[in-house]
Amino acid sequence: MTEKQDVMNACDSHESGKKIGRTSLLDSGEDFEVLDEEDIDDDPPPLEDAGGGKGNNSEESEKKNTDSDSDPAGPMDEWMDVLGNGQLKKKVLEAGEGRDSRPQKGQNVKINLKTYLKDGTLVAEQTDLSFTLGDGDVIQALDLTVQLMEMGEKALVQADAKYAYGVRGSLEPEVPSNSELSLEVELLEAIDAPDLELLPPADKIALASLKRERGNVHYQRADYAFAVNSYSIALQITESSSKVDISPEEENELMGVRVKCLNNMAASQLKLDHFDAALKSCVSALEHEPENIKALFRMGKVLSLKGEYTEAVKTLRKALKLEPSNKTIHAELSKLVKKNSEQRGAEQAMYKKMLGNPGGSGGSQKHQATPTWVRVTR
């Protein structure tokens, strides 16, 4: 495989992986209050990095640039333009053990990492940082470039904010908005991910929860497509079969993680206007927990956005019955009842018009309207 093909593979991984994010910013437990649906009003950022959604076609142009402009990597100390757009570059500082030692997507890797701002300020130093390559556990700059590193290699990576912490920046490490970063990376280890069927239940629960929390980070950063990807990975873990004995308590805990993922996935899909997918996620959550208020609330919102007001009102009334004091459900239900009333009024007006009975007066109309059973006296 040529260096150019490697770069193209990295770009393909960049499209399909939908990655970004760092450590969880949320507490464990139920993830989002119902109010969060209204609290986060920012439009999603450009989703070209996620390979879909409401973004533009910059992925296509990046592919073309990679095809036509990316040169094979030169000697050490020369920069590799990873995506062909000049926004993500890698330079070998110390050579590794050869191409065959490069890690594969899905493997668990371990690196040493130093993170610098453009002005040279060191903002973080991490040793033995572990993550699953391609799962979105780290910023895109790492997910894309570590795939191109050899075991034992030390490299310098320059990343535009787009492939780091974006317009929102980060609190930990402390990175200002729209900051370009320089990363010193040393690849220490790459091992195959554990077999989920053989994973002890406690480890499976912990792994699924970790991926869910990564999704929470993406959601809070308004990276909704990336959030969906992380929740999907978590769901795959919770739904995997097991060859290891699992107790009823562990099964219930795993089910709890699954429902939270489905709920949060529905919230992310709503933000992306993927209404059918969001409805499917709500239905799946309610199959496991029929009285889950958050799933009912989001299902009501989805049905409303799809114009199915009668069903939406019915669903929200069920949620409100379970939690009568919830002001958010009250407000949403009030809006829907009004919309449903207006829709029914418009339909009635249309039917009258279709039947030729606009409500006007006229002798012949009055005569025709006289019931046949009325007795006429002389």
Side-chain angles (χ1 to χ4, degrees), residues 33-62:
E33 294 301 325
V34 171
L35 285 170
D36 283 357
E37 292 293 333
E38 305 298 332
D39 289 344
I40 304 178
D41 294 323
D42 305 272
D43 290 330
L47 294 176
E48 61 268 20
D49 299 343
K54 299 177 182 176
N56 54 34
N57 295 323
S58 67
E59 283 285 5
E60 250 179 59
S61 62
E62 284 181 11

Side-chain angles (χ1 to χ4, degrees), residues 7-309:
V7 174
M8 292 170 65
N9 287 340
C11 190
D12 290 339
S13 168
H14 158 67
E15 286 182 339
S16 62
K18 304 176 183 175
K19 321 268 183 300
I20 198 170
R22 298 285 299 178
T23 342
S24 172
L25 302 178
L26 302 181
D27 295 326
S28 58
E30 189 62 39
D31 305 315
F32 310 126
E33 294 301 325
V34 171
L35 285 170
D36 283 357
E37 292 293 333
E38 305 298 332
D39 289 344
I40 304 178
D41 294 323
D42 305 272
D43 290 330
L47 294 176
E48 61 268 20
D49 299 343
K54 299 177 182 176
N56 54 34
N57 295 323
S58 67
E59 283 285 5
E60 250 179 59
S61 62
E62 284 181 11
K63 272 189 180 177
K64 291 177 182 176
N65 289 339
T66 304
D67 291 339
S68 58
D69 299 335
S70 292
D71 296 321
M76 283 175 51
D77 297 332
E78 291 192 9
W79 288 101
M80 176 199 298
D81 190 349
V82 175
L83 297 174
N85 59 8
Q87 297 178 338
L88 183 62
K89 298 187 292 184
K90 170 184 172 290
K91 179 168 69 173
V92 177
L93 300 179
E94 292 183 19
E97 299 174 8
R99 291 175 180 273
D100 291 342
S101 67
R102 289 183 176 182
Q104 301 297 313
K105 183 180 176 183
Q107 286 188 311
N108 291 337
V109 299
K110 185 182 293 183
I111 65 171
N112 288 335
L113 174 67
K114 292 182 180 179
T115 303
Y116 298 88
L117 299 180
K118 189 177 181 180
D119 63 6
T121 302
L122 177 66
V123 294
E125 184 171 1
Q126 297 162 281
T127 57
D128 295 337
L129 173 64
S130 298
F131 60 95
T132 304
L133 192 58
D135 271 13
D137 296 343
V138 290
I139 58 175
Q140 284 181 284
L142 288 173
D143 247 341
L144 294 172
T145 56
V146 170
Q147 295 183 54
L148 301 174
M149 294 181 65
E150 301 169 0
M151 194 59 55
E153 177 183 327
K154 291 183 179 179
L156 182 63
V157 175
Q158 288 187 350
D160 184 80
K162 176 180 179 180
Y163 302 103
Y165 295 101
V167 296
R168 292 176 178 250
S170 169
L171 295 177
E172 188 180 347
E174 190 174 345
V175 177
S177 172
N178 288 317
S179 293
E180 296 179 25
L181 297 181
S182 290
L183 310 170
E184 286 185 14
V185 188
E186 180 183 8
L187 179 57
L188 304 174
E189 180 182 83
I191 59 175
D192 290 339
D195 187 337
L196 293 177
E197 290 187 340
L198 301 177
L199 204 62
D203 292 347
K204 183 180 285 191
I205 292 167
L207 182 59
S209 297
L210 177 63
K211 300 300 182 182
R212 174 181 58 83
E213 289 170 0
R214 298 294 185 185
N216 295 351
V217 174
H218 298 319
Y219 186 93
Q220 294 296 332
R221 295 178 62 83
D223 295 331
Y224 303 118
F226 299 137
V228 168
N229 183 70
S230 292
Y231 295 138
S232 296
I233 294 171
L235 282 171
Q236 290 171 12
I237 296 169
T238 64
E239 293 168 357
S240 62
S241 58
S242 180
K243 295 179 180 177
V244 181
D245 290 338
I246 181 170
S247 68
E249 294 79 11
E250 290 169 329
E251 184 65 45
N252 288 336
E253 192 173 352
L254 203 59
M255 179 65 70
V257 176
R258 188 179 309 166
V259 171
K260 289 174 184 176
C261 287
L262 287 166
N263 256 333
N264 296 353
M265 181 178 286
S268 302
Q269 290 162 335
L270 266 170
K271 293 292 186 181
L272 293 168
D273 291 346
H274 295 169
F275 301 141
D276 290 338
L279 183 60
K280 184 177 179 181
S281 297
C282 292
V283 169
S284 296
L286 291 169
E287 285 176 355
H288 299 305
E289 293 184 11
E291 295 188 346
N292 187 286
I293 292 172
K294 293 181 181 181
L296 287 168
F297 174 77
R298 290 182 180 126
M299 186 173 181
K301 288 201 72 170
V302 173
L303 291 168
S304 171
L305 291 166
K306 287 169 66 69
E308 300 176 24
Y309 299 128

